Amino acid sequence: MRRRWLGGLVLVIALLAAVTVPVVVQGRRVVGQAQAQRFPDAPAAGTCLLDAGPAGQTRPQSLPLDGLIFGSCDGPIRGQVVGVLDAPQELVGSRRDPCFRAAATAAGLQYVGRRPTLPEAPRTDNVSWAPFLGFTITRIEPGEQARRGGQRWIACLATPHAGGVYTGRLDGVYTAERSLPAAFATCWAAQTGGSAGAVSGVDLDSTATLLPCDAPHGAELLAVARVGDRSLTSREEMRAGCAAMAAAMLRMSDPTAGGQLSVVLDPVSSDGASRPTDPWTLNCFVVATGDRQLTDSVVGWGERPLPLAG
């Protein structure tokens, strides 16, 4: 009987050892409270990207926040945050991307259907005018650890098509608030001359040699018209629409600035149309007359003396 009692005691001691020994083997107790890790907040709308590190040399559709430096837009910048959204996953890179819409709205445009345009833009059931937009969108996302921690925001960064460093702000450029930074404009060599004021080097059907808009150039693209049925609209109506669009975009009562500029309508002739009722696309731009050259974008320039050389 005593042997059974001793055997039972040995079994109990063994079981207690099996329970308590792992606790000892795991090491010392740590006294304290667990704290959640803090991650950087999304960059605020209206701030600008100052430095992107090695990523600044590429044009990705999205960048992680890690390593990016944001700050004031007063000096050289790489892009501007135009909105912060709740992680939309669809339509990345599309003009229906919520980030693209945020940029267009911040710039002062209003949506008519799916197309952002000026409130003053001429419009009929058959013709719609809209500014030619020179920005592209990059999505700034939380870093990998922040995503694992549950962060799901998207910061919308608007940058010029050509990338690089520039000065100026995009917000409000299609209102009276400010003029368009040259980095967001589209310019090329062209000039008018001769007794008839003929324009040379302006056919946008062919590949144009683009120039920086803050360097001497002859022409600047302003707007694009889309015509639903070309048989319902005359060339004269389209010229009048181009002139009205130029006046609204330059914020000038006279878009020729007293003859220093010429407003040019350039129909796209290589669009593959075969029927008189086919759609049509037309470009509207301005050219410095004579031997003059523009040295900045004239979008939003107003009634100030034009930025001319020569």
Side-chain angles (χ1 to χ4, degrees), residues 75-181:
I77 59 176
R78 292 187 175 274
Q80 181 178 343
V81 179
V82 292
V84 181
L85 310 175
D86 290 332
Q89 298 298 320
E90 72 288 350
L91 304 172
V92 177
S94 164
R95 291 208 166 199
R96 289 184 289 159
D97 186 335
C99 274
F100 186 92
R101 191 181 189 101
T105 302
L109 300 177
Q110 297 181 1
Y111 270 77
V112 178
R114 295 181 177 179
R115 201 173 186 202
T117 190
L118 296 174
E120 311 93 325
R123 181 176 178 84
T124 67
D125 290 340
N126 190 47
V127 181
S128 64
W129 284 96
F132 180 81
L133 301 179
F135 62 78
T136 189
I137 293 297
T138 298
R139 291 183 171 201
I140 307 299
E141 301 176 341
E144 182 177 352
Q145 287 188 340
R147 289 197 301 272
R148 290 176 180 175
Q151 290 197 358
R152 292 291 182 269
W153 51 261
I154 294 291
C156 306
L157 184 76
T159 61
H161 279 317
V165 176
Y166 67 97
T167 57
R169 297 178 65 95
L170 181 65
D171 54 318
V173 296
Y174 293 109
T175 69
E177 186 174 345
R178 56 176 55 93
S179 57
L180 185 72

Side-chain angles (χ1 to χ4, degrees), residues 5 16 28 34 55 64 86 104 107 130-131 154 162 172 226 228 233 244 271 276 278 302 304:
W5 182 83
L16 289 174
R28 296 177 300 173
D86 290 332
I154 294 291
R226 293 179 180 171
T233 302
D271 57 5
D278 280 342
R304 295 175 289 167

Side-chain angles (χ1 to χ4, degrees), residues 252-275:
M252 295 180 180
S253 55
D254 172 15
T256 71
Q260 298 177 93
L261 298 174
S262 179
V263 180
V264 181
L265 179 71
D266 180 40
V268 175
S269 59
S270 59
D271 57 5
S274 59
R275 298 173 300 176

Side-chain angles (χ1 to χ4, degrees), residues 3-238:
R3 288 181 180 179
R4 291 182 180 178
W5 182 83
L6 288 175
L9 179 61
V10 170
L11 178 60
V12 169
I13 293 173
L15 289 173
L16 289 174
V19 172
T20 58
V21 168
V23 175
V24 175
V25 172
Q26 288 175 7
R28 296 177 300 173
R29 290 182 60 191
V30 177
V31 178
Q33 295 181 344
Q35 294 184 349
Q37 183 176 355
R38 292 185 61 85
F39 299 106
D41 293 329
T47 58
C48 286
L49 177 63
L50 308 182
D51 191 5
Q57 308 302 317
T58 62
R59 300 291 304 282
Q61 287 187 334
S62 63
L63 285 172
L65 179 63
D66 301 338
L68 305 184
I69 299 176
F70 292 86
S72 168
C73 301
D74 293 338
I77 59 176
R78 292 187 175 274
Q80 181 178 343
V81 179
V82 292
V84 181
L85 310 175
D86 290 332
Q89 298 298 320
E90 72 288 350
L91 304 172
V92 177
S94 164
R95 291 208 166 199
R96 289 184 289 159
D97 186 335
C99 274
F100 186 92
R101 191 181 189 101
T105 302
L109 300 177
Q110 297 181 1
Y111 270 77
V112 178
R114 295 181 177 179
R115 201 173 186 202
T117 190
L118 296 174
E120 311 93 325
R123 181 176 178 84
T124 67
D125 290 340
N126 190 47
V127 181
S128 64
W129 284 96
F132 180 81
L133 301 179
F135 62 78
T136 189
I137 293 297
T138 298
R139 291 183 171 201
I140 307 299
E141 301 176 341
E144 182 177 352
Q145 287 188 340
R147 289 197 301 272
R148 290 176 180 175
Q151 290 197 358
R152 292 291 182 269
W153 51 261
I154 294 291
C156 306
L157 184 76
T159 61
H161 279 317
V165 176
Y166 67 97
T167 57
R169 297 178 65 95
L170 181 65
D171 54 318
V173 296
Y174 293 109
T175 69
E177 186 174 345
R178 56 176 55 93
S179 57
L180 185 72
F184 291 102
T186 301
C187 302
W188 65 96
Q191 63 180 133
T192 62
S195 58
V199 182
S200 61
V202 296
D203 185 5
L204 297 183
D205 283 329
S206 58
T207 302
T209 301
L210 299 181
L211 297 172
C213 290
D214 56 359
H217 60 275
E220 179 176 354
L221 180 60
L222 299 180
V224 178
R226 293 179 180 171
V227 180
D229 181 342
R230 65 182 65 195
S231 70
L232 300 179
T233 302
S234 68
R235 188 71 64 92
E236 288 71 24
E237 290 174 295
M238 296 307 300

